[in-house]
Amino acid sequence: MTQDQNDPVRGERRLLSRRSVLTTMGALPVITAATSVLGATEAAAATAAINPSAQRQTIRGFGGMAHAAWIGDLTAAQRETAFGTGEGRLGFSILRIPVGESQADFGRDLATAKRAAELGVTVFASPWNPPASMIETFNRNGQTNAKRLRYDQYAAYAQHLNSFSTYMRNNGVNLYAISVQNEPDYAHDWTWWTSTEMVKFLRENAGSINTRVIAPESFQYVKSMSDPILNDSTALANVDIIGAHLYGTSYSNFPYPLFKQKGAGKDLWMTEVYYPNSTDSADTWPQALDVGEHMHRAMVDAEFQAYVWWYIRRSYGPMREDGQLSKRGAIMAQFARFVRPGYVRIDATANPASNVYVSAYRSGDTVVIVAINKGTSAVSQQFTVANATSASVSSWVTDGSRNVAAQAATSMSNGSLTVTLPARSMTTFVTSLSGGSSPSPSPVLSPTPSPTPSPSASPSGGTGTGPRVAYTMSSWNSGFTASISITNTGTSAINGWTLSFTLPSGQSITSGWNATYSPSSGQVSAANVSYNGTIAPGATVDIGFQATHTGNTAEPTAFTLNGVPCTVV
């Protein structure tokens, strides 16, 4: 994506005309399908079967781009709207920022990135151009001023990316990842890369980059840009995330069999898009529902782990220029507020009726179902959740008159739930497999303390064995993330809990989710937050954090819950 820095709106229209055509081409079959009508009265759909045991990809999150140099920075209030998870918020858990072309530009997006990091948001960065001294011009298909990175500057460019990462870390933002190049195959106004050049850089230079590496970020998910990476074991070893954009990409091109074959241990992210266009207002309804189907297919058909919009605040974006959610933003929030980082997509009947799209996600005992009805009639939809008991169900709906509006609680009986999906609507359901109360949709990601219930005297429930803890660590050069599952193996509920453990030397927590962590190093206490203080017998609570390390990637060896030793698995 590009933007004329001196005249943002004109620059947007100038280069995006081709994009608008491409996007429309990709959307036409979808629009045609969406015009079919279910009937004048409420229609019944086939049962949507949810299987929590059939796990697919781990979700890293949903988010958008901030680019202060091109459209101005988000205000303090807009940052809270973008990354907060309560009512009227987007719930974004990912922020994308540009890599400055010179060190003088490094701080332009720091304020927004820093606040996002404080809220536990994953921050990553993409470059449009290397420093000018590293570039040469060449003739590319008649474009005489085409730019590319000089081959003798590859090592210096890797260090430039490291310099940006180090600058951000020294100013309170630990970048989760950095890209080699934004849209190397659609670079009329920035730097071109061929797939051969990309593989060469990944093979010879990406190993020295001090955070996770993203490539190739093709503008249209062009597989000829990413196939060579997957087919080169050395290049693939030096990349962590296969990134792609979806401008004009048809749904038939969403699946990626080669990634499923060769991408084990790597992530697959959709790192930029707007949809279906950048010309209409984001409040146009029911067109905004197209965003919902696009996100559904990105999760289900493409099996992406992240979905990142272009500008967070824009007339066609999730946040209007006045800082309020648009209709497109409300649709995105139906995913982002409830399907949090670390959730896993689980099998669900994806299309139980014409114009109805269903996906489902799980974290511990929590199950989230996202249902879209693009038809002009209401639909009676039954969901069956395998191995579930009876439980309360919370739900939120967006339609022509409501934006992520909370609905009255309902019940799931023996794993079965029948609801009415309003015409032209999107509904998110949150429930529990174990029959406990459905969790809050607004997890606290910052380390700000939250009120906690009085802890149980003994979390073991009188069984004579302590709670069970599973600790999973994913590390890179100077940092890591840790996911912790706490299971109540007892026969009575745990009401209020604090998990204690000792971080090995050199490790320090920078942000966390689903618990309040204190202090950041040494002997750490992770206390429940307001929505997960009760752990029913047999139930599991998932928490986690991001941290830095100085070379020691050992794991804690012992845990206690409310003072009771835990079994570590």
Side-chain angles (χ1 to χ4, degrees), residues 5-242:
Q5 298 180 25
N6 297 317
D7 189 353
V9 175
R10 187 172 67 239
E12 201 161 64
R13 298 292 180 261
R14 174 179 56 80
L15 192 59
L16 298 188
S17 58
R18 179 186 172 210
R19 282 255 176 99
S20 300
V21 172
L22 288 170
T23 305
T24 303
M25 288 172 62
L28 279 174
V30 182
I31 294 172
T32 302
T35 59
S36 61
V37 178
L38 288 175
T41 59
E42 181 176 307
T47 299
I50 314 295
N51 184 357
S53 298
Q55 298 190 356
R56 302 302 176 183
Q57 76 270 30
T58 299
I59 304 303
R60 303 302 182 194
F62 304 85
M65 179 90 189
H67 203 313
W70 285 358
I71 61 165
D73 202 0
L74 299 178
T75 67
Q78 289 166 357
R79 293 168 195 146
E80 304 306 309
T81 299
F83 308 117
T85 53
E87 183 177 355
R89 314 294 200 200
L90 281 167
F92 280 178
S93 51
I94 294 179
L95 170 66
R96 182 180 184 230
I97 59 173
V99 177
E101 295 179 22
S102 69
Q103 293 197 11
D105 303 328
F106 281 2
R108 282 177 172 167
D109 296 279
L110 179 61
T112 290
K114 190 168 184 177
R115 181 55 183 153
E118 290 169 354
L119 292 171
V121 169
T122 295
V123 182
F124 76 97
S126 298
W128 269 247
N129 288 305
S133 61
M134 299 182 189
I135 292 174
E136 65 181 6
T137 59
F138 70 108
N139 188 321
R140 185 187 183 278
N141 299 330
Q143 182 188 354
T144 57
N145 64 342
K147 293 184 289 188
R148 68 183 171 204
L149 178 64
R150 286 166 42 194
Y151 292 171
D152 64 351
Q153 293 295 306
Y154 277 24
Y157 181 55
Q159 291 311 306
H160 171 71
L161 298 180
N162 279 342
S163 294
F164 182 78
S165 177
T166 299
Y167 172 87
M168 297 302 290
R169 182 171 61 251
N170 290 343
N171 285 277
V173 180
N174 287 308
L175 288 182
Y176 185 85
I178 198 163
S179 173
V180 175
Q181 173 65 48
N182 169 75
E183 297 183 347
D185 52 344
Y186 187 67
H188 303 279
D189 284 0
W190 51 86
T191 303
W192 293 97
W193 291 66
T194 66
S195 59
T196 300
E197 292 165 344
M198 185 70 67
V199 166
K200 176 180 171 64
F201 179 83
L202 291 173
R203 286 178 59 92
E204 299 175 5
N205 304 101
S208 66
I209 295 175
N210 60 16
T211 188
R212 292 179 180 88
V213 174
I214 302 174
E217 287 203 282
S218 164
F219 90 103
Q220 202 176 29
Y221 204 9
V222 176
K223 304 301 196 299
S224 60
M225 286 298 298
S226 47
D227 282 356
I229 299 171
L230 293 167
N231 285 321
D232 188 300
S233 59
T234 304
L236 185 60
N238 287 333
V239 71
D240 302 279
I241 300 166
I242 298 296

Side-chain angles (χ1 to χ4, degrees), residues 372-398:
I372 304 161
N373 177 14
K374 293 184 71 178
T376 57
S377 298
V379 172
S380 176
Q381 181 65 61
Q382 181 184 20
F383 301 98
T384 59
V385 183
N387 302 316
T389 60
S390 299
S392 173
V393 180
S394 301
S395 62
W396 292 260
V397 65
T398 294

Side-chain angles (χ1 to χ4, degrees), residues 29 84 129 178 258 271 343 367 389 435 458 464-465 534:
N129 288 305
I178 198 163
L258 186 64
T271 55
Y343 275 59
V367 170
T389 60
S458 172
T465 60
T534 297

Side-chain angles (χ1 to χ4, degrees), residues 413-485:
S413 178
N414 295 320
S416 179
L417 169 69
T418 300
V419 298
T420 296
L421 303 178
R424 290 176 170 169
S425 70
M426 185 170 179
T427 310
T428 303
F429 304 92
V430 182
T431 190
S432 171
L433 292 175
S434 63
S437 58
S438 55
S440 161
S442 307
V444 177
L445 296 180
S446 66
T448 305
S450 301
T452 61
S454 300
S456 303
S458 172
S460 63
T463 65
T465 60
R468 185 170 66 246
V469 168
Y471 184 96
T472 304
M473 185 176 183
S474 177
S475 63
W476 60 97
N477 297 33
S478 59
F480 68 93
T481 57
S483 299
I484 307 173
S485 295

Side-chain angles (χ1 to χ4, degrees), residues 33 61 79 138 193 249 256 283 436 455 491 513 568:
R79 293 168 195 146
F138 70 108
W193 291 66
T249 311
Y256 199 179
D283 286 318
T491 57
W513 52 92
V568 181

